[in-house]
Amino acid sequence: GYSGDESVASHFALVTAYEDIKKRLKDSEKENSFLKKRIRALEEKLVGARADE
Amino acid sequence: IDEPPTSAVLLEHCSFSQVVFSSVEKFYVPGGDVTCYYSFTQQFVPRRKDWIGIFKVGWKTTREYYTFMWVALPSDLNKESTKQQEVQFKAYYLPKDDEHYQFCYVDQDGVVRGASIPFQFRPETEE
């Protein structure tokens, strides 16, 4: 087993990591939805260009 | 997904944040040396047998460190202890997988005095 202090410390360290990874996930999701919009816009352009041919 | 009870941790926050890690990268290039930057808060007095470990995120006891370095003590504690310190981890001793790791500062009594944000060993562009 490990002491109470150590388990609080390990919990604190885990929370530190958790909060940061959660922030990164949020940023990644934001970037992802931006890229999806970008793809959609480019797809429309591409489809439009093909229709013109 | 339940969030961990962060409020309980905040009470104890101070004793675990006496050493602050800075400029921690999200990714370190595999095979390269890693410089760990940290500074002491004003009231914290570092001691000779304090160490900084690299731990896999989710560690339970300080014995689970992957590798460690003794801290470099500032020559003049009063004048230099609040300045940024650094210690270098040699590539040879670093993890070879892509798990998340973090730096933790452990004092000579085994008390954790600081923990960093997590990082991985992989090239940033590789997904």
Side-chain angles (χ1 to χ4, degrees):
Chain A
Y2 48 93
S3 77
D5 274 359
E6 193 165 33
S7 80
V8 178
S10 102
H11 184 68
F12 162 78
L14 181 57
V15 168
T16 303
Y18 169 85
E19 293 292 349
D20 197 72
I21 290 180
K22 198 166 71 169
K23 205 182 100 227
R24 290 182 208 176
L25 175 63
K26 219 173 260 174
D27 292 347
S28 295
E29 282 171 343
K30 220 181 272 174
E31 172 74 5
N32 205 17
S33 81
F34 167 78
L35 289 174
K36 271 183 189 159
K37 266 184 220 157
R38 199 63 200 270
I39 288 265
R40 231 172 286 139
L42 291 175
E43 261 170 6
E44 277 167 24
K45 249 188 209 170
L46 200 60
V47 169
R50 278 193 191 140
D52 287 345
E53 274 170 20
Chain B
I1 302 163
D2 286 337
E3 298 202 3
T6 47
S7 57
V9 174
L10 285 175
L11 289 174
E12 307 280 346
H13 196 265
C14 273
S15 64
F16 300 120
S17 307
Q18 294 180 356
V19 178
V20 179
F21 293 96
S22 51
S23 309
V24 179
E25 308 279 355
K26 290 189 181 75
F27 304 103
Y28 290 100
V29 181
D33 296 345
V34 167
T35 308
C36 168
Y37 300 97
Y38 59 100
S39 52
F40 304 116
T41 53
Q42 226 140 34
Q43 69 273 20
F44 183 74
V45 180
R47 289 175 295 171
R48 208 167 46 85
K49 284 294 179 86
D50 294 355
W51 52 281
I52 291 170
I54 292 180
F55 291 80
K56 194 180 283 191
V57 167
W59 60 270
K60 288 283 182 205
T61 86
T62 51
R63 288 187 300 277
E64 293 169 31
Y65 63 87
Y66 186 89
T67 186
F68 79 97
M69 291 290 293
W70 299 112
V71 302
L73 283 191
S75 50
D76 183 348
L77 277 180
N78 294 322
K79 210 166 66 187
E80 293 178 22
S81 63
T82 55
K83 271 197 218 151
Q84 184 171 267
Q85 315 286 320
E86 63 178 76
V87 68
Q88 201 181 42
F89 289 90
K90 288 285 170 200
Y92 180 81
Y93 299 99
L94 295 173
K96 307 287 183 278
D97 58 24
D98 63 356
E99 299 275 343
H100 285 92
Y101 290 88
Q102 66 190 150
F103 300 117
C104 291
Y105 188 105
V106 185
D107 76 11
Q108 65 182 30
D109 299 324
V111 179
V112 177
R113 300 297 193 161
S116 77
I117 59 169
F119 52 83
Q120 289 170 279
F121 295 94
R122 63 177 172 97
E124 193 167 358
T125 49
E126 182 195 308
E127 283 299 329

